[in-house]
Amino acid sequence: MPPLEGITVLDFSHALAGPYCTMLLAAYGARVIKIENPGEGDVGRSWGPPFQGGEASFFLGLNSGKESLSVDLKQPEGLDICRRLAKHADILIENFRPGTMNRL
């Protein structure tokens, strides 16, 4: 049994440091749910070449083993979805600008 099996991580991170952190948590068996913006997703999706199937290899590597959910955090419905998910998460990872999570 992986050491983090049974742990749920809600991942609001983007770019490099946050996705790398949650990649390690997923590798150790945590369930990682990555929250992405509708239409654009994580900025790392476009960091290439190389690309594989339209996705940047950089993004695919850092986000393997994660579930992905597209949520608009600027809409009340999106915030409600995330609040419900957070109630069941053991860990929340984010790397927004300071104050963003408080505002949300």
Side-chain angles (χ1 to χ4, degrees):
M1 185 165 122
L4 297 181
E5 189 167 314
I7 299 293
T8 299
V9 178
L10 196 52
D11 179 7
F12 290 90
S13 68
H14 59 279
L16 177 58
Y20 181 74
C21 171
T22 56
M23 176 194 73
L24 294 175
L25 295 171
Y28 281 101
R31 176 185 183 205
V32 177
I33 304 169
K34 181 171 182 64
I35 306 298
E36 297 188 69
N37 291 328
E40 54 193 70
D42 185 323
V43 296
R45 284 183 180 273
S46 63
W47 292 359
F51 291 95
Q52 184 174 6
E55 300 281 2
S57 296
F58 168 87
F59 174 83
L60 294 173
L62 284 178
N63 291 286
S64 63
K66 301 177 188 179
E67 298 172 37
S68 181
L69 183 62
S70 179
V71 177
D72 189 343
L73 297 175
K74 295 179 181 173
Q75 299 298 318
E77 300 83 12
L79 290 173
D80 185 54
I81 289 168
C82 291
R83 286 185 185 110
R84 285 187 277 136
L85 286 169
K87 287 181 182 180
H88 301 285
D90 300 292
I91 300 168
L92 187 144
I93 303 286
E94 58 90 6
N95 61 346
F96 293 125
R97 287 184 211 113
T100 298
M101 286 303 278
N102 288 336
R103 190 174 65 249
L104 293 174

Coordinates of all heavy atoms in Angstrom, one line a residue:
M1 N 0.8 -1.2 0.0 CA 0.0 0.0 0.0 C 0.9 1.2 0.0 O 1.8 1.4 0.8 CB -0.9 0.0 1.3 CG -1.9 1.1 1.3 SD -3.1 0.8 2.5 CE -3.0 2.2 3.6
P2 N 0.7 2.2 -0.9 CA 1.5 3.4 -1.0 C 1.3 4.2 0.3 O 0.2 4.2 0.9 CB 0.9 4.2 -2.2 CG 0.2 3.2 -3.0 CD -0.3 2.1 -2.0
P3 N 2.3 4.9 0.8 CA 2.2 5.6 2.1 C 1.2 6.7 2.2 O 0.7 7.0 3.3 CB 3.6 6.2 2.2 CG 4.3 6.2 0.9 CD 3.6 5.1 0.1
L4 N 0.8 7.3 1.1 CA -0.2 8.4 1.1 C -1.6 7.9 0.6 O -2.5 8.8 0.4 CB 0.2 9.6 0.4 CG 1.5 10.3 0.9 CD1 1.8 11.5 0.1 CD2 1.3 10.6 2.4
E5 N -1.8 6.6 0.4 CA -3.1 6.1 0.0 C -4.2 6.5 1.0 O -4.0 6.5 2.2 CB -3.1 4.6 -0.2 CG -4.3 4.1 -0.8 CD -4.2 2.7 -1.3 OE1 -3.2 2.3 -1.9 OE2 -5.2 1.9 -1.0
G6 N -5.3 7.0 0.5 CA -6.4 7.5 1.4 C -6.3 9.0 1.7 O -7.2 9.5 2.2
I7 N -5.3 9.7 1.2 CA -5.1 11.1 1.4 C -5.6 11.8 0.1 O -5.3 11.4 -1.0 CB -3.6 11.5 1.6 CG1 -3.1 10.9 2.9 CG2 -3.5 13.0 1.7 CD1 -3.8 11.3 4.2
T8 N -6.4 12.8 0.3 CA -6.9 13.6 -0.9 C -6.3 15.0 -0.9 O -6.4 15.6 0.2 CB -8.5 13.7 -0.9 OG1 -9.0 12.3 -0.9 CG2 -9.0 14.5 -2.0
V9 N -5.8 15.4 -2.0 CA -5.2 16.7 -2.2 C -6.0 17.5 -3.2 O -6.3 17.0 -4.3 CB -3.7 16.5 -2.7 CG1 -3.1 17.9 -2.9 CG2 -2.9 15.7 -1.7
L10 N -6.4 18.7 -2.8 CA -7.0 19.6 -3.8 C -5.9 20.6 -4.2 O -5.3 21.3 -3.5 CB -8.1 20.4 -3.0 CG -9.2 21.1 -3.9 CD1 -9.8 20.2 -5.0 CD2 -10.2 21.6 -3.0
D11 N -5.7 20.5 -5.5 CA -4.5 21.2 -6.1 C -4.9 22.4 -7.0 O -5.5 22.2 -8.1 CB -3.7 20.2 -7.0 CG -2.5 20.8 -7.7 OD1 -2.2 21.9 -7.4 OD2 -1.9 20.0 -8.5
F12 N -4.7 23.6 -6.5 CA -5.0 24.8 -7.2 C -3.7 25.4 -7.8 O -3.7 26.6 -8.3 CB -5.6 25.9 -6.3 CG -7.0 25.6 -5.8 CD1 -7.2 24.8 -4.7 CD2 -8.1 26.0 -6.5 CE1 -8.5 24.6 -4.2 CE2 -9.4 25.7 -6.1 CZ -9.6 25.0 -4.9
S13 N -2.7 24.7 -7.8 CA -1.4 25.2 -8.2 C -1.2 25.3 -9.8 O -2.0 24.6 -10.5 CB -0.2 24.4 -7.6 OG -0.2 23.1 -8.2
H14 N -0.2 26.0 -10.2 CA 0.1 26.2 -11.6 C 1.6 26.5 -11.8 O 2.3 26.7 -10.8 CB -0.8 27.3 -12.2 CG -0.5 28.6 -11.5 ND1 -1.1 29.0 -10.4 CD2 0.3 29.7 -11.9 CE1 -0.7 30.2 -10.0 NE2 0.2 30.6 -10.9
A15 N 2.0 26.4 -13.0 CA 3.4 26.7 -13.3 C 4.3 25.5 -12.9 O 4.2 24.5 -13.4 CB 3.9 28.0 -12.8
L16 N 5.2 25.7 -11.9 CA 6.2 24.6 -11.7 C 6.2 24.1 -10.2 O 6.0 22.9 -10.0 CB 7.6 25.1 -12.0 CG 8.7 24.2 -11.8 CD1 8.6 22.9 -12.5 CD2 10.1 24.8 -12.1
A17 N 6.4 25.0 -9.3 CA 6.6 24.5 -7.9 C 5.4 23.8 -7.3 O 5.6 22.7 -6.8 CB 7.0 25.7 -7.0
G18 N 4.2 24.3 -7.5 CA 3.0 23.6 -7.0 C 2.8 22.3 -7.7 O 2.6 21.3 -7.0
P19 N 2.7 22.3 -9.0 CA 2.5 21.0 -9.7 C 3.6 20.0 -9.4 O 3.3 18.8 -9.3 CB 2.5 21.4 -11.2 CG 2.0 22.8 -11.2 CD 2.7 23.4 -10.0
Y20 N 4.8 20.4 -9.1 CA 5.9 19.4 -8.8 C 5.6 18.8 -7.4 O 5.7 17.6 -7.2 CB 7.3 20.1 -8.8 CG 8.4 19.2 -8.5 CD1 8.8 18.2 -9.4 CD2 9.0 19.2 -7.2 CE1 9.8 17.3 -9.1 CE2 10.0 18.3 -6.9 CZ 10.4 17.4 -7.8 OH 11.4 16.5 -7.5
C21 N 5.2 19.7 -6.5 CA 4.8 19.2 -5.1 C 3.7 18.2 -5.2 O 3.8 17.1 -4.6 CB 4.4 20.4 -4.3 SG 3.7 20.0 -2.7
T22 N 2.7 18.5 -5.9 CA 1.5 17.6 -6.0 C 1.8 16.3 -6.8 O 1.2 15.3 -6.6 CB 0.2 18.3 -6.5 OG1 0.5 18.9 -7.7 CG2 -0.2 19.4 -5.5
M23 N 2.8 16.5 -7.8 CA 3.2 15.3 -8.5 C 3.8 14.3 -7.5 O 3.6 13.1 -7.6 CB 4.2 15.6 -9.6 CG 4.8 14.4 -10.3 SD 6.3 14.8 -11.3 CE 7.5 15.1 -10.0
L24 N 4.7 14.8 -6.6 CA 5.3 13.9 -5.6 C 4.2 13.3 -4.7 O 4.3 12.1 -4.4 CB 6.3 14.7 -4.8 CG 7.5 15.2 -5.5 CD1 8.4 16.0 -4.6 CD2 8.3 14.0 -6.1
L25 N 3.2 14.0 -4.3 CA 2.2 13.5 -3.5 C 1.4 12.4 -4.2 O 1.1 11.3 -3.6 CB 1.2 14.6 -3.0 CG 1.8 15.7 -2.1 CD1 0.9 16.8 -1.9 CD2 2.3 15.1 -0.7
A26 N 1.1 12.6 -5.5 CA 0.4 11.6 -6.3 C 1.3 10.3 -6.4 O 0.8 9.2 -6.4 CB 0.1 12.1 -7.7
A27 N 2.6 10.5 -6.6 CA 3.5 9.4 -6.8 C 3.6 8.5 -5.5 O 3.8 7.3 -5.6 CB 4.9 9.9 -7.1
Y28 N 3.3 9.1 -4.4 CA 3.3 8.4 -3.1 C 1.9 7.9 -2.8 O 1.6 7.4 -1.7 CB 3.8 9.2 -2.0 CG 5.3 9.3 -2.0 CD1 6.0 10.4 -2.5 CD2 6.1 8.2 -1.5 CE1 7.4 10.4 -2.5 CE2 7.5 8.2 -1.5 CZ 8.1 9.4 -2.0 OH 9.5 9.4 -2.0
G29 N 0.9 8.0 -3.7 CA -0.3 7.4 -3.5 C -1.5 8.3 -3.2 O -2.6 7.8 -3.1
A30 N -1.3 9.6 -3.0 CA -2.4 10.5 -2.7 C -3.3 10.6 -4.0 O -2.8 10.6 -5.1 CB -1.9 11.8 -2.3
R31 N -4.6 10.9 -3.7 CA -5.5 11.2 -4.8 C -5.4 12.8 -4.9 O -5.7 13.5 -4.0 CB -6.9 10.9 -4.4 CG -7.9 11.3 -5.4 CD -9.3 11.1 -5.0 NE -10.3 11.4 -6.0 CZ -11.5 11.8 -5.8 NH1 -12.0 11.7 -4.6 NH2 -12.3 12.1 -6.8
V32 N -4.9 13.2 -6.1 CA -4.7 14.6 -6.3 C -5.8 15.1 -7.4 O -5.9 14.5 -8.5 CB -3.3 14.9 -6.9 CG1 -3.2 16.4 -7.2 CG2 -2.3 14.5 -5.8
I33 N -6.6 16.1 -7.0 CA -7.6 16.7 -7.9 C -7.1 18.1 -8.2 O -7.0 19.0 -7.4 CB -8.9 16.8 -7.2 CG1 -9.4 15.4 -6.7 CG2 -10.0 17.4 -8.1 CD1 -10.6 15.4 -5.7
K34 N -6.6 18.2 -9.5 CA -6.1 19.5 -10.0 C -7.3 20.3 -10.5 O -8.0 19.9 -11.4 CB -5.1 19.2 -11.1 CG -4.5 20.5 -11.6 CD -3.3 20.1 -12.6 CE -2.7 21.4 -13.1 NZ -2.0 22.2 -12.1
I35 N -7.3 21.5 -10.0 CA -8.4 22.5 -10.5 C -7.7 23.4 -11.5 O -6.7 24.0 -11.2 CB -8.9 23.3 -9.3 CG1 -9.4 22.4 -8.1 CG2 -10.0 24.3 -9.7 CD1 -10.6 21.5 -8.5
E36 N -8.4 23.5 -12.7 CA -7.9 24.3 -13.7 C -8.9 25.3 -14.3 O -10.1 25.0 -14.2 CB -7.4 23.5 -14.9 CG -6.2 22.6 -14.5 CD -5.6 21.9 -15.8 OE1 -5.0 22.6 -16.6 OE2 -5.8 20.7 -15.9
N37 N -8.5 26.4 -14.8 CA -9.4 27.4 -15.4 C -10.0 26.8 -16.7 O -9.3 26.2 -17.5 CB -8.6 28.7 -15.8 CG -8.2 29.4 -14.6 OD1 -8.8 29.4 -13.6 ND2 -7.0 30.1 -14.8
P38 N -11.3 27.1 -16.9 CA -11.9 26.6 -18.1 C -11.3 27.2 -19.4 O -10.9 28.4 -19.3 CB -13.4 27.1 -18.0 CG -13.6 27.4 -16.6 CD -12.2 27.7 -16.0
G39 N -11.1 26.4 -20.4 CA -10.6 27.0 -21.7 C -9.1 27.1 -21.7 O -8.5 26.7 -22.8
E40 N -8.4 27.5 -20.7 CA -7.0 27.7 -20.8 C -6.2 26.7 -19.9 O -5.1 26.3 -20.3 CB -6.6 29.1 -20.4 CG -7.2 29.5 -19.0 CD -7.1 31.0 -18.7 OE1 -7.8 31.8 -19.4 OE2 -6.3 31.4 -17.9
G41 N -6.7 26.3 -18.8 CA -6.0 25.4 -17.9 C -4.8 25.9 -17.3 O -4.5 27.1 -17.3
D42 N -3.9 25.1 -16.9 CA -2.6 25.4 -16.3 C -1.8 26.0 -17.4 O -1.7 25.5 -18.5 CB -2.0 24.1 -15.8 CG -0.7 24.3 -15.0 OD1 0.1 25.2 -15.4 OD2 -0.5 23.6 -14.0
V43 N -1.0 27.1 -17.0 CA -0.1 27.8 -18.0 C 0.9 26.8 -18.5 O 1.4 27.0 -19.7 CB 0.5 29.0 -17.4 CG1 -0.5 30.1 -17.1 CG2 1.4 28.7 -16.2
G44 N 1.3 25.8 -17.8 CA 2.3 24.8 -18.2 C 1.8 24.0 -19.4 O 2.7 23.3 -20.0
R45 N 0.5 23.9 -19.7 CA 0.1 23.2 -20.9 C 0.7 23.7 -22.2 O 0.8 22.9 -23.1 CB -1.4 23.3 -21.0 CG -2.2 22.4 -20.0 CD -3.7 22.5 -20.2 NE -4.4 21.7 -19.3 CZ -4.7 20.4 -19.4 NH1 -4.3 19.8 -20.5 NH2 -5.4 19.8 -18.5
S46 N 1.1 24.9 -22.2 CA 1.7 25.5 -23.4 C 3.2 25.6 -23.4 O 3.8 26.1 -24.4 CB 1.1 26.9 -23.7 OG 1.5 27.7 -22.6
W47 N 3.9 25.1 -22.4 CA 5.3 25.2 -22.3 C 6.0 24.1 -23.0 O 6.2 23.0 -22.5 CB 5.7 25.3 -20.8 CG 5.3 26.5 -20.0 CD1 4.6 27.6 -20.5 CD2 5.6 26.8 -18.7 NE1 4.4 28.5 -19.5 CE2 5.0 28.0 -18.4 CE3 6.2 26.1 -17.7 CZ2 5.0 28.6 -17.1 CZ3 6.2 26.6 -16.4 CH2 5.7 27.9 -16.1
G48 N 6.4 24.4 -24.2 CA 7.1 23.4 -25.1 C 7.8 24.1 -26.1 O 7.9 25.4 -26.1
P49 N 8.4 23.5 -27.1 CA 8.4 22.0 -27.3 C 9.2 21.3 -26.2 O 9.9 21.9 -25.5 CB 8.9 21.8 -28.7 CG 9.8 23.0 -28.9 CD 9.3 24.1 -28.1
P50 N 9.1 20.0 -26.1 CA 8.3 19.1 -27.0 C 6.9 19.0 -26.6 O 6.5 19.2 -25.4 CB 9.0 17.8 -26.8 CG 9.6 17.8 -25.4 CD 9.9 19.3 -25.2
F51 N 6.0 18.7 -27.5 CA 4.6 18.4 -27.3 C 4.3 17.0 -27.7 O 4.9 16.4 -28.5 CB 3.8 19.4 -28.2 CG 3.9 20.8 -27.8 CD1 4.8 21.6 -28.5 CD2 3.1 21.3 -26.8 CE1 4.9 23.0 -28.1 CE2 3.2 22.7 -26.5 CZ 4.1 23.5 -27.1
Q52 N 3.3 16.5 -27.0 CA 2.8 15.1 -27.3 C 1.3 15.2 -27.3 O 0.6 15.5 -26.3 CB 3.2 14.2 -26.2 CG 2.8 12.7 -26.5 CD 3.4 11.8 -25.5 OE1 4.1 12.1 -24.6 NE2 3.2 10.5 -25.8
G53 N 0.7 14.9 -28.5 CA -0.8 15.0 -28.6 C -1.4 16.3 -28.3 O -2.4 16.4 -27.7
G54 N -0.7 17.4 -28.6 CA -1.2 18.8 -28.4 C -0.9 19.3 -27.0 O -1.2 20.4 -26.7
E55 N -0.3 18.5 -26.1 CA 0.0 18.9 -24.7 C 1.5 19.0 -24.6 O 2.3 18.2 -25.1 CB -0.5 17.9 -23.7 CG -2.0 17.7 -23.8 CD -2.8 18.8 -23.1 OE1 -2.2 19.8 -22.6 OE2 -4.0 18.7 -23.0
A56 N 2.0 20.0 -23.8 CA 3.4 20.1 -23.5 C 3.9 18.9 -22.7 O 3.2 18.5 -21.7 CB 3.7 21.4 -22.8
S57 N 5.0 18.3 -23.1 CA 5.5 17.2 -22.3 C 5.8 17.6 -20.9 O 5.7 16.8 -19.9 CB 6.8 16.7 -23.0 OG 6.5 16.1 -24.2
F58 N 6.2 18.9 -20.7 CA 6.5 19.4 -19.4 C 5.2 19.3 -18.5 O 5.3 18.8 -17.4 CB 6.8 20.9 -19.5 CG 6.8 21.7 -18.2 CD1 7.9 21.8 -17.5 CD2 5.7 22.4 -17.9 CE1 7.9 22.5 -16.3 CE2 5.7 23.1 -16.7 CZ 6.8 23.2 -15.9
F59 N 4.1 19.7 -19.0 CA 2.8 19.6 -18.3 C 2.4 18.1 -18.0 O 2.0 17.8 -16.9 CB 1.7 20.3 -19.1 CG 0.3 20.1 -18.5 CD1 -0.1 21.0 -17.4 CD2 -0.5 19.1 -18.9 CE1 -1.3 20.8 -16.8 CE2 -1.8 18.9 -18.3 CZ -2.2 19.8 -17.2
L60 N 2.5 17.3 -19.0 CA 2.2 15.9 -18.9 C 3.0 15.2 -17.8 O 2.5 14.5 -17.0 CB 2.3 15.1 -20.2 CG 1.4 15.6 -21.3 CD1 1.7 14.9 -22.6 CD2 -0.1 15.3 -20.9
G61 N 4.3 15.5 -17.7 CA 5.1 14.9 -16.7 C 4.8 15.4 -15.3 O 4.7 14.6 -14.4
L62 N 4.6 16.7 -15.1 CA 4.3 17.2 -13.8 C 2.9 16.9 -13.3 O 2.6 17.0 -12.1 CB 4.4 18.7 -13.8 CG 5.9 19.2 -13.7 CD1 5.9 20.8 -13.8 CD2 6.6 18.8 -12.5
N63 N 2.0 16.5 -14.2 CA 0.6 16.2 -13.8 C 0.2 14.8 -14.0 O -1.0 14.5 -13.9 CB -0.3 17.2 -14.5 CG 0.0 18.6 -14.0 OD1 -0.4 19.0 -12.9 ND2 0.7 19.4 -14.8
S64 N 1.1 13.9 -14.2 CA 0.7 12.5 -14.3 C 0.2 12.0 -13.0 O 0.6 12.4 -11.9 CB 1.9 11.6 -14.8 OG 2.9 11.7 -13.8
G65 N -0.8 11.1 -13.1 CA -1.4 10.5 -11.9 C -2.4 11.4 -11.1 O -2.9 11.1 -10.1
K66 N -2.8 12.6 -11.7 CA -3.7 13.5 -11.1 C -5.0 13.4 -11.9 O -5.1 13.2 -13.0 CB -3.2 14.9 -11.1 CG -1.9 15.1 -10.4 CD -1.4 16.5 -10.6 CE 0.0 16.7 -10.1 NZ 0.5 18.1 -10.2
E67 N -6.1 13.7 -11.1 CA -7.4 14.0 -11.8 C -7.4 15.5 -12.1 O -6.8 16.3 -11.4 CB -8.5 13.6 -10.8 CG -8.5 12.1 -10.4 CD -9.5 11.9 -9.3 OE1 -10.6 12.5 -9.3 OE2 -9.2 11.0 -8.5
S68 N -8.2 15.8 -13.1 CA -8.3 17.3 -13.5 C -9.8 17.7 -13.5 O -10.6 16.9 -14.0 CB -7.6 17.5 -14.8 OG -7.7 18.9 -15.1
L69 N -10.0 18.9 -13.0 CA -11.4 19.4 -13.0 C -11.3 20.9 -13.5 O -10.5 21.6 -12.9 CB -12.0 19.3 -11.6 CG -13.4 19.7 -11.4 CD1 -14.4 18.9 -12.3 CD2 -13.8 19.6 -10.0
S70 N -12.1 21.2 -14.5 CA -12.2 22.6 -15.0 C -13.2 23.3 -14.2 O -14.4 23.0 -14.2 CB -12.5 22.6 -16.4 OG -12.6 23.9 -16.9
V71 N -12.8 24.4 -13.5 CA -13.7 25.1 -12.6 C -13.4 26.6 -12.8 O -12.3 27.1 -12.7 CB -13.6 24.7 -11.1 CG1 -14.5 25.6 -10.2 CG2 -13.8 23.3 -10.9
D72 N -14.5 27.4 -13.0 CA -14.4 28.9 -13.1 C -14.5 29.5 -11.7 O -15.6 29.5 -11.1 CB -15.4 29.4 -14.0 CG -15.2 30.9 -14.3 OD1 -14.4 31.6 -13.6 OD2 -15.8 31.4 -15.3
L73 N -13.4 29.9 -11.1 CA -13.3 30.4 -9.7 C -13.9 31.8 -9.6 O -14.1 32.3 -8.5 CB -11.9 30.4 -9.2 CG -11.3 29.0 -9.0 CD1 -9.8 29.1 -8.6 CD2 -12.0 28.2 -8.0
K74 N -14.3 32.4 -10.8 CA -14.9 33.7 -10.8 C -16.4 33.6 -10.7 O -17.1 34.7 -10.7 CB -14.4 34.5 -12.0 CG -12.9 34.8 -11.9 CD -12.5 35.5 -13.1 CE -11.0 35.8 -13.0 NZ -10.4 36.4 -14.2
Q75 N -16.9 32.4 -10.7 CA -18.4 32.2 -10.7 C -18.8 31.6 -9.4 O -18.0 30.7 -8.8 CB -18.8 31.3 -11.8 CG -18.5 31.9 -13.2 CD -19.3 33.2 -13.5 OE1 -20.4 33.3 -13.1 NE2 -18.6 34.1 -14.1
P76 N -19.9 32.0 -8.8 CA -20.4 31.4 -7.5 C -20.5 29.9 -7.6 O -20.1 29.2 -6.6 CB -21.7 32.1 -7.3 CG -21.7 33.3 -8.1 CD -20.8 33.0 -9.3
E77 N -20.9 29.4 -8.7 CA -21.1 27.9 -8.8 C -19.7 27.2 -8.7 O -19.6 26.1 -8.1 CB -21.7 27.5 -10.1 CG -23.1 28.1 -10.3 CD -23.1 29.5 -10.8 OE1 -22.1 30.1 -11.3 OE2 -24.2 30.1 -10.8
G78 N -18.7 27.8 -9.3 CA -17.3 27.2 -9.3 C -16.8 27.3 -7.9 O -16.2 26.3 -7.4
L79 N -17.0 28.4 -7.2 CA -16.5 28.5 -5.8 C -17.2 27.4 -4.9 O -16.6 26.8 -4.0 CB -16.7 29.9 -5.2 CG -15.8 30.9 -5.8 CD1 -16.2 32.3 -5.3 CD2 -14.4 30.6 -5.5
D80 N -18.5 27.2 -5.2 CA -19.3 26.3 -4.4 C -18.7 24.9 -4.6 O -18.6 24.1 -3.6 CB -20.8 26.3 -4.8 CG -21.6 25.4 -3.9 OD1 -21.5 25.5 -2.7 OD2 -22.3 24.6 -4.5
I81 N -18.4 24.5 -5.8 CA -17.8 23.2 -6.1 C -16.5 23.0 -5.3 O -16.3 22.0 -4.7 CB -17.6 23.0 -7.6 CG1 -18.9 22.9 -8.4 CG2 -16.7 21.9 -7.9 CD1 -18.8 23.0 -9.9
C82 N -15.7 24.0 -5.4 CA -14.4 23.9 -4.7 C -14.6 23.9 -3.2 O -13.8 23.1 -2.5 CB -13.5 25.1 -5.1 SG -13.0 25.0 -6.8
R83 N -15.5 24.6 -2.6 CA -15.7 24.5 -1.2 C -16.2 23.1 -0.8 O -15.8 22.6 0.3 CB -16.8 25.6 -0.8 CG -16.2 27.0 -0.7 CD -17.2 28.0 -0.2 NE -16.7 29.3 -0.3 CZ -17.2 30.2 -1.2 NH1 -18.2 30.0 -2.0 NH2 -16.6 31.4 -1.2
R84 N -17.1 22.5 -1.6 CA -17.5 21.2 -1.3 C -16.4 20.2 -1.4 O -16.3 19.3 -0.5 CB -18.7 20.8 -2.2 CG -20.0 21.5 -1.8 CD -21.2 21.0 -2.5 NE -21.2 21.7 -3.8 CZ -21.5 21.2 -5.0 NH1 -21.7 19.9 -5.1 NH2 -21.5 21.9 -6.1
L85 N -15.5 20.3 -2.4 CA -14.4 19.4 -2.5 C -13.4 19.6 -1.3 O -12.9 18.7 -0.8 CB -13.6 19.7 -3.8 CG -14.3 19.2 -5.1 CD1 -13.6 19.8 -6.3 CD2 -14.3 17.7 -5.1
A86 N -13.2 20.9 -0.9 CA -12.3 21.2 0.2 C -12.7 20.5 1.5 O -11.9 20.1 2.3 CB -12.1 22.7 0.4
K87 N -14.0 20.4 1.7 CA -14.5 19.7 2.9 C -14.1 18.3 3.0 O -14.0 17.8 4.1 CB -16.0 19.8 3.0 CG -16.6 21.2 3.3 CD -18.1 21.2 3.3 CE -18.6 22.6 3.6 NZ -20.1 22.6 3.6
H88 N -13.8 17.7 1.9 CA -13.4 16.3 1.9 C -11.9 16.1 1.7 O -11.4 14.9 1.6 CB -14.2 15.5 0.8 CG -15.6 15.6 1.1 ND1 -16.3 14.9 2.0 CD2 -16.6 16.3 0.5 CE1 -17.6 15.1 2.0 NE2 -17.8 16.0 1.1
A89 N -11.2 17.2 1.5 CA -9.7 17.1 1.2 C -8.9 17.1 2.5 O -9.3 17.7 3.5 CB -9.3 18.2 0.3
D90 N -7.8 16.4 2.5 CA -6.9 16.5 3.6 C -5.9 17.6 3.5 O -5.4 18.1 4.5 CB -6.2 15.1 3.7 CG -7.1 14.0 3.9 OD1 -7.8 13.9 5.0 OD2 -7.3 13.2 2.9
I91 N -5.5 17.9 2.2 CA -4.5 18.9 1.9 C -5.0 19.8 0.8 O -5.6 19.3 -0.1 CB -3.2 18.2 1.5 CG1 -2.7 17.3 2.6 CG2 -2.1 19.2 1.1 CD1 -1.6 16.3 2.1
L92 N -4.7 21.1 0.9 CA -5.0 22.0 -0.2 C -3.7 22.7 -0.5 O -3.0 23.2 0.4 CB -6.0 23.1 0.3 CG -6.5 24.0 -0.8 CD1 -8.0 24.3 -0.6 CD2 -5.7 25.3 -0.9
I93 N -3.3 22.7 -1.8 CA -2.1 23.3 -2.3 C -2.5 24.4 -3.3 O -3.3 24.2 -4.1 CB -1.2 22.3 -3.0 CG1 -0.8 21.1 -2.2 CG2 0.0 23.0 -3.6 CD1 0.2 21.4 -1.1
E94 N -1.9 25.6 -3.1 CA -2.1 26.7 -4.0 C -0.9 27.5 -4.1 O -0.1 27.6 -3.2 CB -3.4 27.5 -3.6 CG -3.3 28.1 -2.2 CD -2.7 29.5 -2.2 OE1 -2.4 30.1 -3.2 OE2 -2.5 30.0 -1.1
N95 N -0.7 28.2 -5.2 CA 0.4 29.2 -5.3 C -0.1 30.4 -6.1 O 0.6 30.9 -7.0 CB 1.6 28.5 -6.0 CG 1.4 28.0 -7.4 OD1 0.3 27.8 -7.8 ND2 2.5 27.7 -8.1
F96 N -1.2 30.9 -5.7 CA -1.8 32.2 -6.2 C -1.0 33.3 -5.6 O -0.2 33.2 -4.7 CB -3.2 32.3 -5.8 CG -4.2 31.3 -6.5 CD1 -5.0 30.6 -5.6 CD2 -4.3 31.2 -7.8 CE1 -5.9 29.7 -6.2 CE2 -5.1 30.3 -8.4 CZ -6.0 29.5 -7.6
R97 N -1.2 34.5 -6.1 CA -0.7 35.7 -5.5 C -1.2 35.8 -4.1 O -2.3 35.4 -3.8 CB -1.1 36.9 -6.4 CG -0.4 37.0 -7.7 CD -0.7 38.4 -8.4 NE -0.7 38.1 -9.8 CZ -1.7 38.1 -10.6 NH1 -2.9 38.4 -10.2 NH2 -1.6 37.8 -11.9
P98 N -0.4 36.5 -3.2 CA -0.8 36.7 -1.9 C -2.2 37.3 -1.8 O -2.5 38.3 -2.5 CB 0.2 37.6 -1.2 CG 1.5 37.3 -2.0 CD 1.0 37.0 -3.4
G99 N -3.1 36.8 -1.0 CA -4.4 37.3 -0.8 C -5.5 36.7 -1.7 O -6.7 36.9 -1.4
T100 N -5.1 36.0 -2.7 CA -6.1 35.5 -3.6 C -7.1 34.5 -3.0 O -8.3 34.6 -3.1 CB -5.4 34.8 -4.9 OG1 -4.7 35.8 -5.5 CG2 -6.5 34.2 -5.8
M101 N -6.5 33.5 -2.2 CA -7.4 32.5 -1.6 C -8.3 33.2 -0.5 O -9.4 32.8 -0.4 CB -6.5 31.4 -1.0 CG -5.9 30.5 -2.0 SD -7.1 29.6 -3.0 CE -7.7 28.3 -2.0
N102 N -7.8 34.2 0.2 CA -8.6 34.9 1.1 C -9.8 35.6 0.4 O -10.9 35.5 0.9 CB -7.8 35.9 1.9 CG -6.9 35.3 2.9 OD1 -7.2 34.1 3.4 ND2 -5.9 36.0 3.3
R103 N -9.5 36.1 -0.7 CA -10.6 36.8 -1.5 C -11.6 35.8 -2.0 O -12.8 36.1 -2.0 CB -9.9 37.6 -2.7 CG -10.9 38.5 -3.4 CD -10.2 39.4 -4.4 NE -9.7 38.6 -5.5 CZ -8.3 38.5 -5.7 NH1 -7.5 39.0 -5.0 NH2 -7.9 37.8 -6.8
L104 N -11.1 34.6 -2.4 CA -12.1 33.6 -2.9 C -12.9 33.0 -1.8 O -14.0 32.6 -2.0 CB -11.3 32.5 -3.6 CG -10.6 32.9 -4.9 CD1 -9.7 31.8 -5.5 CD2 -11.6 33.3 -6.0

